Amino acid sequence: MKRIPVSIEDYAGHIMKSLPQGCLLSTSYNDAMNTMTIGWATIGVDWSMPILNVYVRESRFTKTLLEKNPQFTVNVPLEGADVRKILGYCGTKSGREVNKFKDLDLHAIKGEKVDAPAILELPLTIECEVIYKQDQDPDRINEEIKHRYYSMGDYHTVYTGKFVNAYILEED
């Protein structure tokens, strides 16, 4: 397996274009590994460093893992890849109850600089270390947004990840 280094700046537009269709956020802790579909994230610069903010609901197994190991990867499909089945499954099943990697025959590749997996099927990989986290304050969320996205009261924690590595996986 080869890792072709890339600049996050060169792929920021592609990542932002991919998010509405879905990307995967992957985590691990000890023997537990999980991935979940995300459609919300922001790329930017905080504290003079490039960052990625990801949103994880309180109820998610991914949050449990992130609290134990504050490292993650974001796995992005390349142009033309049909990953709808993967994104659909990972967005509706809980890693507490199923092994998504086994069920979908996903090829988890050990992260290069973080203890979280890259995924061959979504080969553009951004490795991040959490440098800040913030639970959402329901009282500060616009009522229209709250009604549309939080009718069940399952709010998010926003994790700010510092970029530590970016690459595309390619089979030898």
Side-chain angles (χ1 to χ4, degrees):
M1 188 65 51
K2 290 192 307 192
R3 297 173 204 258
I4 300 166
V6 297
S7 164
I8 194 66
E9 293 84 3
D10 292 342
Y11 282 88
H14 175 73
I15 295 165
M16 295 305 293
K17 185 176 160 187
S18 298
L19 277 165
Q21 284 75 47
C23 297
L24 294 178
L25 170 65
S26 301
T27 58
S28 67
Y29 178 72
N30 288 342
D31 292 335
M33 183 170 54
N34 192 49
T35 190
M36 65 175 248
T37 301
I38 61 170
W40 299 354
T42 56
I43 297 171
V45 177
D46 282 350
W47 304 294
S48 300
M49 65 183 88
I51 57 94
L52 180 66
N53 288 317
V54 294
Y55 299 76
V56 181
R57 289 192 189 270
E58 297 293 324
S59 62
R60 302 291 188 229
F61 183 51
T62 295
K63 179 169 173 46
T64 302
L65 297 178
L66 272 171
E67 291 298 313
K68 294 177 180 177
N69 172 27
Q71 300 177 338
F72 63 90
T73 59
V74 172
N75 319 107
V76 183
L78 293 179
E79 293 253 353
D82 185 2
V83 293
R84 289 176 292 185
K85 177 183 173 188
I86 294 169
L87 295 171
Y89 190 83
C90 292
T92 58
K93 303 293 182 188
S94 172
R96 284 187 185 95
E97 291 141 19
V98 300
N99 181 332
K100 297 173 194 178
F101 293 89
K102 181 180 177 196
D103 291 354
L104 294 168
D105 196 28
L106 295 176
H107 297 87
I109 310 298
K110 183 174 173 26
E112 188 172 45
K113 294 185 179 179
V114 299
D115 185 17
I119 299 175
L120 180 60
E121 289 74 14
L122 288 86
L124 174 56
T125 304
I126 313 303
E127 295 185 351
C128 295
E129 292 179 359
V130 175
I131 57 172
Y132 180 74
K133 64 182 179 178
Q134 178 71 51
D135 293 336
Q136 288 182 320
D137 180 350
D139 294 334
R140 294 181 179 258
I141 298 174
N142 170 290
E143 288 302 319
E144 181 181 329
I145 291 171
K146 194 185 308 186
H147 178 73
R148 182 171 181 188
Y149 295 105
Y150 300 104
S151 61
M152 303 295 285
D154 192 13
Y155 293 94
H156 289 93
T157 297
V158 182
Y159 292 91
T160 299
K162 170 180 77 170
F163 292 121
V164 296
N165 204 9
Y167 50 86
I168 295 174
L169 292 172
E170 193 174 273
E171 292 188 79
D172 291 329

